[in-house]
Structure formats: structure tokens, C-alpha cells
Amino acid sequence: MQANGAGQGQDSELSCLNSTQNGESTSTGGAHSNGLIATTNNGNAVSTNNGIVSTGNSDVSNATTSNSEPGSSMKKKKRLSQSEEDVIRLIGQHLHDLGLNQTVDLLMQESGCRLEHPAATKFRSHVMEGEWDKAESDLNELKALMHSPGAIVRMKFLLLQQKYLEYLEDGKVLEALQVLRAELTPLKYNTERIHVLSGYLMCSHAEDLRAKAEWEGKGTASRSKLLDKLQTFLPPSVMLPPRRLQTLLWQAVELQRERCLYHNTKLDSSLGSVSLLLDHVCSRKQFPCYTQQVLTEHCNEVWFCKFSNDGTKLATGSKDTTVIVWQVDSETHQLKQLKTLEGHAYGVSYLAWSPDDTYLIACGPDDCAELWLWNVQTGELRTKMTQSHEDSLTSVAWNPDGKRFVTGGQRGQFYQCDLDGNLLDSWEGVRVQCLWYLADGRCVLASDTHQRIRGYNFEDLTDRNIVQEDHPIMSFTVSKNGRLALLNVATQGVHLWDLHDRVLVRKYQGVTQGFYTIHSCFGGHNEDFIASGSEDHKVYIWHKRSELPIAELSGHTRTVNCVSWNPMLPGLMASASDDGTVRIWGPAPFLDTQDSDGLNGTHHFLVVKC
């Protein structure tokens, strides 16, 4: 222990037809209520559904007609609500995407709804068939149905761009040039893109064109993508956005996962990986709440622990003057001792891995003026740095380039050095408690004795205040994206700050934090979780959005000084304690089903003894 912008309004033409809502059928040879054109062919009903022709059995038409005759036993249908119409249209679109076109026709006829406006149906057919002049003409009819008529220019541009590319692929260079000069250019829209398109005239063959344009080529694939883009400009009352039902279902799945306190795995972008029949629930048995190992190699208080950036190693620093590097087994996730780095006379209170995990820097407590830079691969000491015996070098942070680092302490030292310990720059009078290098490689964050975090730029020698607390900041860490900072504040506990907006986001409850230095961490998949040690001998875990802990892990018998979450294995975490042990936490053991409802970390673990 240390001191879519499209409107949602519904045109009256697009709602369910009153006649069919009352159980009556539309006349033969007219337009179906779903906007699909119907004719007869030798007694068989032929309907065009979104550019796809399907032939139905005449018995179906007869059955529909017979049900609409006077005296029919069919009950009079109630008028559908707007939400019911929307659901029917969503189902119809999904069935159409599956190729069940006759089923779609029956659904629309029986419900009296229309899948899309007839003008949209024609437009879809002409786009998919590559009839560009007709598709362009359809835009004039669609213009009256749109809430933003200006979007017509953008839609026309996309149509002409596809037309131009298809001419080029077919080797019709003169026709393509005519489209470029006489149709695209007069639109006076996206001239930068027109310049890019003109460059494709120099492509020697079709493969070169497709590669440079990042285009699938003439055919169904590219035209389907074009139609997806065009649909974004049309109100959903005219044409539904592509794959709308799948989108809504995926949003529901994502929302359930976001609300799941223990969800700690990567989100699969397809619905095929989940069941839509059950709500999403993760068991805490899958969460790192259970002791997998107890590492007892250290012979005194363990002050710090940190997983390497690639997650394959763990470094632990102790009052016993040693650093131990542990290897993480990629299959069993068990740890075994790899190297012991000795000679740190004052003990090791802080460790920092280089960006490529080649080097490890070790710092001591307040009265230590030395810093050790180890080559982890060889186990050799590359640099032992000290500027003055009056210094206190207690914290360190690597520049993202891996060639420089900053170090400092509470006696007013703040240095930037190279790998050989040569002093590159210094900042006078800054009493540093903790350091962090931002990803831009220019700004260093430093907490100081004035209960604040300031940003220091070593290039232009400017500094600015970012965080101001009312109590001493004992340590802090920053999220991978550089947006959030997690602070351990004396007597207050764990605070989450937004570094961009410079506001306090959340105060996490439960942890016991006095004036000892305790290190917390972000962790889990997407860094959705926060973990911290505590002076009450426990490890606390919170979901980032919740102030109350979702887990309290028992097992240590003295203050827990540091917690580190494996950056590559979301189910693996380590904690270091004054009891001289390092505990490795993981999911519940596979066979331990009867006892895994408890969170007591003392069950079923492997002890690695001295």
C-alpha cells in the first residue's frame, strides 16, 4: 500500500384502401391495393411486384373474388391503425426480400394495404432493369410526393452516375462522354465528383474501371446498392427504407445488449447469431468475478500490476524490490512466471509497457530518484536513469512513437527523455502525481498537487487546465479513444470525467478510498466496464453507465492497490494487494455450476506458490 431526414407523414393514397378494409375486392385488371400492376394472361393472374413478375394461380383470384361477394361468410374487417399498417408493410418488404412475392400479393390484397406507392414500384423496376430514361422520368412523378423536392437533383445525379459507369464498362465511350457533358455537368452538383468521374475515361479495361471506381460493375449488385441510396431520399410512406424490419430488429437486439449489465463480448453485426424469440440476458457466471489463480511469488506487498498491450503478459511490481513478468496461456488463460527483474531498492510502485511491449519501465515510491527501463524480451536492463538524488520519479508515460517517455514526481520534476535516459525537455515546478500521453503524441496529461489535471504540450510549451477536483487526485487512467478519464480521488472514490467537454460524468459508489494510491482501470469489450481496488480488501466493478457496482469481489485480505483488465481477453482481470498476492479473475469454472451463484472469489482456484 502506498501513501433519416425523410418525413413520416402519410399520403392518403398510401393508406389502406377503404373498399378492401370493408372486405371488398378491387376490380380485375386494375392496380392492386399494394400499387402493383395486374393484368390477366390466359386466366392466370400476373402481377408485377417491385420489378419482379410473379404468376399466381387463378384459383387464388377466384377465391378472393368469391369472398368479396354478397353473402360471404368473411367477417367485416376493422379499420387498421397506422401502426398496424406499418407492421404489415414491414412484413411485406421482408417477405419480398426473401423472394416470397405471391405471399406478399396475398398479404396486401387481404389487408388492403399497399407495400409502396405505384410510382415507387415503377421507379424500382426501371432502376433494376437499367432503363435510365424511364427512371429519370419517374422522378418527376415522385417529386410531388417528396417533402424535400431539392433531393431530386441528388437522386438524378446518382442515376446518371450509374448510367455513365455502365456505358464505360460496355465500351461506349462516346455515349458515356455525352452523359458526362450534357446530363451530369448541367446539374451543377458535386463538381468534385464529376472531375473524378471524368478520370475514369482513361481506364483501359473494365476491371480497371471497377477497381478505381470501387464499383461492382453493371448488374444487380450495383443497381441494388444504387436503389438503397435512392430510397434514403424518399419518404417511408412512398417507399420503405431498405431492409427496414431487419434494421429495427437489430436495433432492439443492440438496445437489450446495452442494457445488459454483464454483456462482455463483441457484438455480431448479423441477426443470424442471436435468437429473436428470447430477450438477451448474460449471466454473471460469464463475467470475470471468480478467482482463477492466486499468484504468491512476491514476498511482500504488491503495489502494481499491468497487462501488456497485446494481452500476452502481465507485469507485477512489489515492495520486495522485484518485478515479475508472467506469461498468459492463450488457450487456458493460466499465468506462469516468465522473468524476474530484480534490484529496485525502493520497491516498484508503477509500471508502464512500451507501445510495442518490448520495454517495461519501473518506478519506485516517493523517495525513489531512479527509473529502470527493461528489455522484457531479453530480461536485460537497458537504462537506469536518475537526474538528481533529490528527485522523486514515481510515474511514467510512453509517447505513442515508443521512442520517448515522460516521467516525474511530487518534488517538482517533469522530464521528457529518450530510451537511453537522455533528457530531451523538462517542465519546471510541476509536482506530478500521475501521467498519461494522449494518442496525438504531443499532449501529456499530468495530475498534480493542486487537485487538477493539466495538459502539457512539449512542442510549443503551452499548458491548459482540463480537470479540477476538490480533493487530491491519487491516480488516473484514460480510455483508449482518449475521451474519458477515470480518477481515483482521495476520500471520494472513483470519478469519471469527459476530457473533451471537461465535465464530471459520474461518481461511482461503494469503493473505500482514503489517501493511499489505488489504481483503477477501464476494461471489458469496448471498455464498457470500470474496475478498482479498495481499502476494504475488495475489487469493485461497475458498468460504465451505472454508479452502483455490479460486482464486489472478495478474496484479498488487505488493501487492493491496483486492478488491470486484459485488453485482448475481456474475461480476464488481475488485482494486486498488500496481502502479497496477485489474483487472476475470470468466468465461473465450467464444472462449478452449483456454487457459481456467489461472487466469493475464494472458491475453486489454482495457487501458484513460491
Side-chain angles (χ1 to χ4, degrees):
M1 186 190 304
Q2 302 176 72
N4 209 346
Q8 297 296 322
Q10 298 289 327
D11 191 292
S12 59
E13 291 183 291
L14 306 178
S15 60
C16 290
L17 301 182
N18 292 331
S19 60
T20 42
Q21 286 166 351
N22 294 327
E24 299 172 2
S25 174
T26 57
S27 59
T28 305
H32 282 299
S33 59
N34 60 357
L36 309 179
I37 300 171
T39 60
T40 57
N41 182 13
N42 297 328
N44 292 328
V46 181
S47 63
T48 304
N49 187 356
N50 299 331
I52 302 174
V53 178
S54 60
T55 303
N57 192 297
S58 60
D59 292 340
V60 176
S61 301
N62 295 335
T64 304
T65 304
S66 64
N67 284 337
S68 62
E69 292 175 352
S72 171
S73 60
M74 180 186 292
K75 294 183 180 180
K76 185 176 181 179
K77 299 177 184 175
K78 69 172 184 177
R79 183 177 182 84
L80 297 177
S81 67
Q82 185 61 60
S83 62
E84 289 171 332
E85 291 182 26
D86 292 345
V87 170
I88 289 173
R89 292 182 66 207
L90 291 171
I91 294 173
Q93 183 194 48
H94 184 64
L95 293 174
H96 166 68
D97 292 342
L98 295 175
L100 305 177
N101 300 310
Q102 292 184 23
T103 305
V104 176
D105 290 340
L106 288 173
L107 175 62
M108 295 303 151
Q109 289 176 28
E110 185 173 358
S111 65
C113 292
R114 185 151 48 199
L115 182 59
E116 58 189 18
H117 193 280
T121 302
K122 286 195 300 177
F123 181 62
R124 178 194 299 276
S125 175
H126 292 151
V127 169
M128 294 304 296
E129 293 298 325
E131 298 177 352
W132 306 118
D133 292 339
K134 292 181 180 180
E136 188 176 343
S137 177
D138 294 335
L139 290 179
N140 295 324
E141 187 175 351
L142 290 171
K143 183 175 182 179
L145 301 171
M146 297 175 63
H147 298 281
S148 177
I152 290 293
V153 175
R154 287 174 281 177
M155 296 178 71
K156 189 173 181 179
F157 185 89
L158 291 172
L159 282 173
L160 293 174
Q161 177 179 254
Q162 179 79 10
K163 179 180 179 181
Y164 169 77
L165 291 172
E166 291 195 7
Y167 273 146
L168 281 182
E169 187 181 45
D170 290 340
K172 300 177 180 179
V173 179
L174 292 179
E175 289 87 340
L177 189 59
Q178 178 67 15
V179 172
L180 188 67
R181 290 177 174 176
E183 299 184 67
L184 276 167
T185 302
L187 291 178
K188 297 181 179 179
Y189 174 77
N190 203 347
T191 54
E192 184 178 344
R193 178 60 178 168
I194 290 177
H195 291 317
V196 173
L197 291 173
S198 64
Y200 298 154
L201 289 166
M202 306 303 294
C203 292
S204 57
H205 48 78
E207 290 79 5
D208 188 26
L209 171 66
R210 289 193 290 267
K212 289 183 177 178
E214 297 180 351
W215 179 62
E216 292 80 1
K218 179 179 178 179
T220 302
S222 64
R223 291 173 183 174
S224 294
K225 281 192 174 183
L226 170 63
L227 196 59
D228 286 350
K229 293 178 182 178
L230 294 169
Q231 282 180 276
T232 63
F233 298 102
L234 296 172
S237 56
V238 176
M239 180 184 284
L240 287 172
R243 295 169 293 280
R244 182 60 183 160
L245 183 58
Q246 291 97 316
T247 299
L248 290 173
L249 291 173
W250 181 243
Q251 289 174 352
V253 170
E254 282 190 315
L255 181 61
Q256 288 191 18
R257 285 176 170 174
E258 287 176 2
R259 292 179 174 177
C260 177
L261 291 178
Y262 297 103
H263 187 77
N264 192 28
T265 56
K266 184 177 180 180
L267 291 177
D268 194 314
S269 59
S270 68
L271 286 173
S273 63
V274 299
S275 171
L276 300 177
L277 306 181
L278 297 171
D279 286 344
H280 173 85
V281 178
C282 286
S283 168
R284 76 180 179 188
K285 298 176 184 178
Q286 303 166 302
F287 205 68
C289 295
Y290 302 84
T291 302
Q292 305 294 309
Q293 281 182 273
V294 178
L295 311 179
T296 62
E297 185 66 31
H298 285 295
C299 301
N300 210 322
E301 298 174 358
V302 186
W303 288 341
F304 200 84
C305 63
K306 185 70 174 179
F307 280 104
S308 58
N309 299 293
D310 63 6
T312 63
K313 299 177 181 66
L314 174 71
T316 57
S318 171
K319 186 179 179 180
D320 67 5
T321 74
T322 68
V323 173
I324 299 180
V325 180
W326 308 82
Q327 183 73 46
V328 180
D329 188 287
S330 60
E331 295 183 359
T332 65
H333 299 172
Q334 294 289 304
L335 276 70
K336 63 179 181 180
Q337 187 175 348
L338 185 63
K339 287 182 175 67
T340 300
L341 311 176
E342 300 177 335
H344 310 84
Y346 294 88
V348 179
S349 61
Y350 196 85
L351 295 164
W353 291 89
S354 63
D356 63 359
D357 295 326
T358 299
Y359 298 105
L360 181 69
I361 296 179
C363 296
D366 290 342
D367 52 352
C368 180
E370 298 174 329
L371 175 150
W372 294 263
L373 194 157
W374 295 90
N375 185 317
V376 180
Q377 296 177 348
T378 64
E380 296 177 352
L381 179 66
R382 169 161 178 168
T383 304
K384 182 178 180 181
M385 190 198 89
T386 180
Q387 294 295 323
S388 167
H389 293 295
E390 302 298 322
D391 285 353
S392 173
L393 304 182
T394 59
S395 185
V396 67
W398 284 90
N399 187 297
D401 65 11
K403 299 176 181 179
R404 296 168 288 166
F405 61 87
V406 290
T407 184
Q410 292 193 15
R411 296 179 184 174
Q413 299 77 37
F414 189 9
Y415 304 134
Q416 181 173 223
C417 307
D418 63 17
L419 296 182
D420 295 318
N422 298 315
L423 186 63
L424 302 177
D425 294 291
S426 66
W427 212 291
E428 298 296 331
V430 182
R431 298 180 180 273
V432 173
Q433 178 71 25
C434 192
L435 295 166
W436 193 274
Y437 236 120
L438 292 184
D440 60 9
R442 297 190 300 270
C443 184
V444 179
L445 302 183
S447 61
D448 56 31
T449 54
H450 295 284
Q451 305 168 6
R452 64 189 180 182
I453 295 177
R454 293 179 64 81
Y456 296 87
N457 191 316
F458 276 93
E459 294 183 1
D460 56 19
L461 299 180
T462 59
D463 60 313
R464 60 193 176 97
N465 203 47
I466 298 177
V467 169
Q468 182 66 60
E469 282 279 2
D470 296 328
H471 298 80
I473 301 171
M474 308 308 294
S475 69
F476 75 93
T477 187
V478 178
S479 60
K480 289 180 180 179
N481 61 11
R483 181 68 186 258
L484 300 174
L486 193 62
L487 285 61
N488 282 77
V489 183
T491 73
Q492 302 300 301
V494 182
H495 292 180
L496 183 68
W497 280 78
D498 187 314
L499 296 178
H500 290 190
D501 296 337
R502 304 183 191 180
V503 295
L504 176 63
V505 177
R506 195 161 288 112
K507 296 181 179 181
Y508 296 101
Q509 302 177 22
V511 66
T512 302
Q513 169 82 62
F515 288 91
Y516 294 107
T517 300
I518 293 176
H519 299 271
S520 56
C521 68
F522 293 96
H525 181 72
N526 201 34
E527 294 192 325
D528 285 333
F529 303 97
I530 287 167
S532 177
S534 176
E535 293 180 21
D536 64 2
H537 314 167
K538 295 179 180 179
V539 174
Y540 287 82
I541 303 177
W542 301 266
H543 194 285
K544 194 163 55 180
R545 297 190 307 271
S546 176
E547 295 182 358
L548 297 176
I550 62 173
E552 299 177 16
L553 312 186
S554 300
H556 287 293
T557 58
R558 293 181 64 188
T559 295
V560 180
N561 299 309
C562 183
V563 179
S564 179
W565 210 306
N566 192 297
M568 297 300 169
L569 300 172
L572 194 64
M573 188 173 63
S575 59
S577 171
D578 280 349
D579 64 10
T581 68
V582 176
R583 283 184 174 253
I584 307 301
W585 307 88
F590 179 73
L591 298 177
D592 188 15
T593 56
Q594 67 273 19
D595 296 332
S596 57
D597 289 334
L599 283 181
N600 192 328
T602 60
H603 296 298
H604 304 280
F605 55 78
L606 173 66
V607 178
V608 180
K609 297 183 179 294
C610 297

